[in-house]
Amino acid sequence: MNPDTTNSRTRAGGVPIPVRRLLSSVHQAKLRPATNPEYLVSRPRLNELLHWAVGTPLTLVVAPAGSGKTSLLRDWVAGTELPHTWLSLDESDRDPVQLWLGILAALEVIAPGCAVPAVDVIRRQGALLEAVGTLLDDLEARSYDARILVIDDLQFVDGEDSVGATLAIFVQHLPMWLRVVVASRHVPRLPLDRLRARSQLTEVRFSELRFSQEEAAAMLARLAPDLPVNRVREVAARAGGWAASIQLAALAARSSHAQAGLDGRLEDGTGRYLENYIWHELLADERPDVVDVLLSTAVVDRVEPDLARVLANRADAPELLELAEERGLFVARIEPTGAFEMHTLVRDVLLAKLRRLSPERFTEQHRLAARWFEEHRQPTVALEHLTRAGLHRDALRVLADQVAGLYDSGRESTVRRTLDAIPASVASVDFEATLELAWCHLLIDRGRFLEIVEFARAWADDILELDPTLLARLDVLRSIAATIRGDWTSGASLARSALEGFGEEWPLDPLGQFCWNLVARNIALSEAWDETGAEARRTIVALSVLPERRITLEGTRALGNSLAGHPVDALRVVAGARAASEVANMTILRAELSIAEALARRELGEGSAALPTLLELADSDLEPVPYCRLLACLELTRVWLDDGNLVSAERAFGQATEIVDTEVTGPCSRSWLARTGTMVALAAERLEAARGWAAQVEDPFWTGVVTARVLIAEGELGPAGDALKTVEPRCARHRVVRALLLSRTAADAEEAEAALLEGLDVATEQRMVQTIASEGAEVVESIERLAWKVPPSWLDRLRRAPIPDRPASSAPTLELVEALTDREYDVLRMLPSRLTLREIADELFISVNTLKSHLRVIYRKLGCASRAEAAELARSMASLRWRSQASTMRRR
């Protein structure tokens, strides 16, 4: 087809697996034009017109069905020397993601590798405009001579708003070398006036496509060579230049029942004429079995041989379609797939006849087609057939089974369109359908999901004998709803109740498969995840029989380890699951892995690496996992508190408060909010507000902790210690927090040191850093006095971590000869560590000689003569910390 075709194929192996997997959903037959039949007449005047037309970025070929648009473009691309690629659209491309996958697959032919960055963006839901921008940037960076992209049958997708928006951006910002030729039955919703004003548009309309008298006569002579010359001229004159009518007239002329004339008004109101003409002239003398196969397969626009056998209920259906092609009945085989296509006009007439004369058969044919496409993993097409036939209950069943995969592959619009087509009455009289309807709304409309679950719960109360399986499914949905609302305790209880209801059959039920994931998630969010514990092990073993559910468990494991104070274990799980999450493209898994990684990075003292993820999650619309967004906002609050930025901390906390007040309103999420609110109030020295927040914490461990924090702030160390002694830690992080606070409330130094060492043993074993640093300068200074008892590498990370409210040094104010630069501060804060000069230089990405030069300047400015003196001064300088978050990000 063009010089790059071979190269693009040989490079295909280098395309990432997720990209290849998504692009493989595009039928290869759509990426090549079919061969024109021999009876078509070449039209040099139109080929010449197209040759000049592609001098502009966009060429629009607009004319009614059967005007010869596709035939013209096929003939032109067969003769052009310009590198080109082709994409035929159909009704499955109404999904904007599917459309753009097709465009990207086509562009790969003339611009190998261009699809990779765009597909990466498409896999993030709601990012189509960003993906188009990424694609345009990639194409703009290439230096090619003119190349052509042909998009045929745009009318199938032009009615979708999201499609129009992305195509409008694309055609307005094409690179200099790319020409786009679009064929459509009607004027597409593109900014044509703007493109005309810029001289970026050439249009070919029906007036140009209309067959001349000579062209029509030549085509008729080929189609009906026995037709008398005078009859050829008469038919050609009355055909009105319409390609389809010329072909129909030729076939009629060959028929023993052909009539003497045509209606001539072919452009207007042709439906009834065409129906009569096709049935009485085109098909009247054809074999009944051929006509029946055409009727049976008319419900699909492209029929595979196996699908034809199913729809016609006969093994010879493909052979009969071949016979129809030979007879010129507007059926064409698509090579090399072997599928058949029927001319749209003929197909529409057959469908109208089938629907009118046999509504039951019309419905059954759509049902058979839907079942075939469902079995062949094409749920989007299956759903289209079911909704067209009004089989709404079946459509809901298929959607419930496929909704997660559709959502995760970016086909949210398919989910919404199908739900919009299903009447409310379908679920109002069928309890099982109500549960399926709720499940379908989970990923796209959290509020509607919660409403339907509550409706189902109330309905279940009125049913005297509810099937145990349906009751168990309801418990699963209620467990999800409780988790979404922020009540993991109730969520865990409901998930366990559902498991009891399913019994040993839980792996076989589509909702039962989620039970153990829900149990695990609620353990994780309750900060009780322990991989050595019986419940966690039982969950892991149970899900080992379901590989897909086992993959999703990895996000929960990572989050559980992060919240429980096992950051290294969390990052190990994230690293193992990241590839799987991208290949499988699971929304909830990716969200949980992202927040888990951010929490773990910050715990390890890598705050600059965690901050971008936290900011992104806080501003994301995480529809099915709002607790991830809440966690991000609360962690950002703590980031700013540790950095001494109270204004930013209160802003992030305000965002978290809004989430809890409006979305995640349950008692567990409110406890999360309240314990962070206590910290914010204490940082602002608002003790009354801190007491108010502490009173709202319902978690048995954190209630004692926040109470103790308030009492410590009030100077009531004895009562604070008493409050701490009553709490039961559930994880490593709890044990560290409790020990650190006990060290601050101890009656004497020996008791304080013992408590501190107890916490340090756990913290250093798990490499927890930020939990220690966040307790403040007093605790960190106490650790400095015990520096010889902790690992040097861990202590160095602690010294780098941001520490809130570091007290001013009691040493005399330093009279600096000259202010230190940011880089000199970086060097100075490393001096108290046990790192060698070579190790410090490596950490700062500078040479040893450069480091020594910095040291000489630092010694001069501090008025000291050695590293030991400078290190002592560094420990006493209250301002020795990251200068700002921006500089931190820059240095990292």
Side-chain angles (χ1 to χ4, degrees):
M1 183 179 288
N2 62 75
D4 281 329
T5 302
T6 301
N7 288 339
S8 69
R9 288 173 180 167
T10 58
R11 295 169 186 160
V15 177
I17 291 175
V19 176
R20 268 188 285 158
R21 182 167 295 185
L22 283 178
L23 292 182
S24 67
S25 66
V26 180
H27 291 291
Q28 292 303 302
K30 298 171 68 172
L31 300 177
R32 66 177 66 89
T35 303
N36 276 336
E38 292 183 0
Y39 61 76
L40 284 182
V41 177
S42 181
R43 308 169 75 188
R45 65 180 180 87
L46 293 181
N47 288 336
E48 183 70 9
L49 175 61
L50 283 177
H51 173 75
W52 290 107
V54 296
T56 57
L58 178 63
T59 299
L60 197 58
V61 182
V62 177
S67 299
K69 303 181 294 297
T70 301
S71 299
L72 170 63
L73 293 178
R74 289 173 182 166
D75 190 44
W76 177 70
V77 298
T80 184
E81 296 180 357
L82 295 174
H84 58 272
T85 185
W86 181 282
L87 175 63
S88 296
L89 303 182
D90 55 37
E91 290 170 336
S92 67
D93 295 303
R94 291 171 60 195
D95 189 300
V97 171
Q98 187 65 35
L99 167 67
W100 277 100
L101 290 177
I103 293 175
L104 289 168
L107 286 171
E108 274 287 302
V109 176
I110 57 173
C114 70
V116 175
V119 169
D120 284 339
V121 177
I122 285 180
R123 287 185 296 122
R124 301 197 303 269
Q125 284 70 36
L128 272 180
L129 285 175
E130 182 183 347
V132 174
T134 300
L135 171 64
L136 289 170
D137 289 343
D138 184 282
L139 298 176
E140 189 66 41
R142 298 168 183 257
S143 180
Y144 292 147
D145 292 328
R147 301 187 178 198
I148 309 297
L149 166 63
V150 178
I151 302 177
D152 192 26
D153 285 331
L154 185 68
Q155 72 277 352
F156 283 116
V157 303
D158 188 51
E160 301 294 320
D161 291 337
S162 54
V163 168
T166 52
L167 282 177
I169 294 294
F170 182 68
V171 300
Q172 289 183 90
H173 301 284
L174 297 171
M176 294 291 293
W177 55 268
L178 182 59
R179 309 288 188 266
V180 176
V181 180
V182 173
S184 178
R185 293 180 188 173
H186 53 74
V187 177
R189 295 191 296 178
L190 296 173
L192 301 183
D193 290 337
R194 188 179 308 162
L195 292 170
R196 291 190 191 101
R198 297 175 179 172
S199 300
Q200 295 178 336
L201 172 66
T202 300
E203 298 172 79
V204 178
R205 298 297 184 108
F206 182 73
S207 56
E208 287 89 12
L209 291 174
R210 187 190 299 269
F211 275 63
S212 67
Q213 178 78 8
E214 294 72 22
E215 291 170 338
M219 182 171 168
L220 279 166
R222 292 188 181 185
L223 284 166
D226 297 331
L227 200 65
V229 174
N230 62 336
R231 178 71 174 138
V232 167
R233 292 174 180 169
E234 178 184 357
V235 172
R238 295 185 179 181
W242 190 29
S245 67
I246 295 169
Q247 189 174 2
L248 287 171
L251 292 173
R254 296 187 324 199
S255 169
S256 59
H257 298 287
Q259 301 299 316
L262 296 174
D263 181 354
R265 300 181 59 188
L266 296 172
E267 295 91 337
D268 303 310
T270 60
R272 180 177 299 176
Y273 163 75
L274 281 173
E275 182 173 352
N276 291 334
Y277 195 87
I278 288 171
W279 281 107
H280 298 302
E281 305 294 345
L282 178 64
L283 300 177
D285 290 335
E286 298 298 330
R287 288 170 44 176
D289 55 353
V290 172
V291 175
D292 189 68
V293 167
L294 292 177
L295 269 173
S296 299
T297 58
V299 293
V300 294
D301 52 6
R302 181 182 293 107
V303 58
E304 301 285 344
D306 182 55
L307 176 57
R309 295 185 186 97
V310 171
L311 293 174
N313 193 28
R314 53 190 305 159
D316 62 346
E319 289 73 23
L320 292 174
L321 288 174
E322 288 182 15
L323 179 59
E325 181 182 25
E326 293 173 5
R327 295 283 298 166
L329 302 181
F330 290 94
V331 175
R333 177 186 286 271
I334 305 171
E335 297 295 347
T337 67
F340 293 89
E341 276 189 341
M342 190 184 305
H343 190 285
T344 303
L345 287 175
V346 178
R347 179 169 167 258
D348 289 345
V349 167
L350 293 176
L351 277 178
K353 184 86 167 183
L354 185 64
R355 184 185 312 203
R356 185 173 64 253
L357 298 182
S358 181
E360 297 82 6
R361 185 180 178 189
F362 174 83
T363 300
E364 181 60 22
Q365 294 306 108
H366 273 297
R367 188 195 304 276
L368 290 171
R371 184 182 304 156
W372 189 89
F373 283 112
E374 183 183 3
E375 291 173 353
H376 287 74
R377 299 182 180 181
Q378 299 182 53
T380 300
V381 185
L383 289 168
E384 288 284 347
H385 280 285
L386 292 172
T387 53
R388 281 184 217 157
L391 297 169
H392 299 120
R393 182 65 186 90
D394 291 333
L396 181 57
R397 175 191 57 78
V398 173
L399 183 62
D401 186 55
Q402 302 288 336
V403 65
L406 289 169
Y407 182 84
D408 284 329
S409 60
R411 292 168 172 82
E412 182 180 340
S413 64
T414 295
V415 179
R416 293 186 181 278
R417 186 168 60 248
T418 305
L419 287 174
D420 289 342
I422 297 174
S425 58
V426 170
S428 63
V429 295
D430 184 336
F431 187 78
E432 184 174 5
T434 299
L435 300 183
E436 291 174 354
L437 187 65
W439 179 246
C440 292
H441 278 87
L442 170 61
L443 296 172
I444 64 168
D445 189 341
R446 186 169 65 244
R448 181 65 178 142
F449 165 77
L450 295 173
E451 289 176 4
I452 299 174
V453 171
E454 184 58 29
F455 171 79
R457 185 202 62 77
W459 188 359
D461 290 342
D462 295 333
I463 300 177
L464 296 179
E465 294 184 5
L466 183 61
D467 181 89
T469 298
L470 294 181
L471 183 59
R473 289 179 185 174
L474 176 59
D475 283 342
V476 173
L477 296 175
R478 292 180 62 199
S479 174
I480 296 172
T483 303
I484 288 175
R485 288 193 177 104
D487 185 0
W488 2 113
T489 302
S490 297
S493 176
L494 287 163
R496 292 186 179 94
S497 173
L499 280 170
E500 291 179 5
F502 287 120
E504 297 299 321
E505 302 297 317
W506 70 266
L508 304 178
D509 190 89
L511 289 185
Q513 296 175 5
F514 289 81
C515 288
W516 281 111
N517 290 94
L518 290 167
V519 170
R521 182 168 292 116
N522 289 306
I523 296 171
L525 295 178
S526 299
E527 300 169 22
W529 186 261
D530 179 7
E531 303 234 333
T532 65
E535 196 159 28
R537 289 202 308 271
R538 185 183 177 193
T539 301
I540 294 171
V541 170
L543 288 175
S544 62
V545 301
L546 297 171
E548 184 172 332
R549 304 309 328 145
R550 179 66 178 81
I551 291 173
T552 60
L553 176 64
E554 296 303 277
T556 305
R557 284 183 63 206
L559 182 55
N561 277 309
S562 288
L563 292 174
H566 306 292
V568 176
D569 291 339
L571 291 181
R572 188 179 298 117
V573 175
V574 169
R578 182 71 74 189
S581 75
E582 294 302 324
V583 172
N585 198 29
M586 296 175 175
T587 303
I588 296 176
L589 174 60
R590 289 203 315 272
E592 290 189 334
L593 289 176
S594 294
I595 187 62
E597 181 176 18
L599 295 175
R601 293 284 181 199
R602 199 170 110 77
E603 184 60 80
L604 291 171
E606 301 171 9
S608 58
L611 185 60
T613 301
L614 291 173
L615 291 170
E616 181 181 354
L617 289 171
D619 290 333
S620 298
D621 183 17
L622 301 174
E623 187 72 37
V625 281
Y627 54 84
C628 290
R629 181 169 175 243
L630 175 59
L631 272 174
C633 292
L634 294 174
E635 192 65 19
L636 279 173
T637 303
R638 291 187 282 269
V639 167
W640 302 130
L641 286 177
D642 291 341
D643 202 50
N645 188 340
L646 185 59
V647 173
S648 294
E650 289 181 331
R651 185 182 302 116
F653 183 69
Q655 191 176 1
T657 302
E658 182 179 358
I659 294 172
V660 172
D661 287 344
T662 60
E663 300 178 46
V664 193
T665 59
C668 300
S669 57
R670 190 159 293 280
S671 285
W672 274 4
L673 181 75
R675 75 191 203 214
T676 304
T678 304
M679 300 294 291
V680 173
L682 289 175
E685 299 182 351
R686 297 193 294 266
L687 287 178
E688 189 62 35
R691 283 192 288 269
W693 281 114
Q696 297 182 44
V697 178
E698 297 183 8
D699 183 285
F701 172 79
W702 289 104
T703 296
V705 168
V706 295
T707 299
R709 290 193 188 283
V710 174
L711 291 171
I712 290 173
E714 294 173 336
E716 299 289 342
L717 300 185
D722 294 339
L724 291 168
K725 291 172 184 176
T726 63
V727 301
E728 290 292 334
R730 299 189 297 272
C731 61
R733 182 163 169 249
H734 289 183
R735 293 197 296 274
V736 171
V737 171
R738 179 177 180 272
L740 296 180
L741 289 175
L742 282 172
S743 73
R744 297 174 63 186
T745 62
D748 54 55
E750 184 177 351
E751 183 182 344
E753 181 175 319
L756 187 58
L757 286 174
E758 179 185 343
L760 288 177
D761 286 343
V762 178
T764 54
E765 179 185 0
Q766 300 298 331
R767 302 188 198 177
M768 298 167 61
V769 172
Q770 194 57 56
T771 294
I772 302 287
S774 296
E775 287 300 323
E778 178 184 344
V779 169
V780 174
E781 291 299 329
S782 298
I783 293 172
E784 288 283 1
R785 291 192 288 271
L786 299 172
W788 59 278
K789 291 189 175 184
V790 296
S793 59
W794 179 87
L795 183 60
D796 185 55
R797 280 183 174 269
L798 179 63
R799 287 168 175 163
R800 299 183 193 196
I803 301 171
D805 301 326
R806 186 191 294 271
S809 172
S810 58
T813 303
L814 291 173
E815 296 288 343
L816 296 181
V817 175
E818 185 181 340
L820 296 177
T821 65
D822 280 353
R823 176 54 87 184
E824 288 162 358
Y825 271 111
D826 290 342
V827 174
L828 180 58
R829 67 192 306 275
M830 302 285 284
L831 296 184
S833 71
R834 298 180 183 180
L835 298 178
T836 65
L837 292 185
R838 165 61 64 187
E839 290 170 334
I840 292 176
D842 289 343
E843 287 287 328
L844 297 175
F845 302 101
I846 60 177
S847 68
V848 174
N849 287 334
T850 301
L851 175 61
K852 290 179 178 178
S853 297
H854 282 309
L855 288 175
R856 285 195 293 271
V857 174
I858 291 171
Y859 294 165
R860 176 177 61 81
K861 291 182 177 181
L862 294 179
C864 62
S866 68
R867 175 179 176 177
E869 292 180 64
E872 186 60 34
L873 289 171
R875 292 189 183 96
S876 66
M877 292 176 66
S879 62
L880 187 55
R881 56 193 300 184
W882 291 117
R883 306 294 291 172
S884 68
Q885 190 63 43
S887 64
T888 300
M889 294 290 292
R890 183 173 61 253
R891 285 192 292 273
R892 295 298 292 184

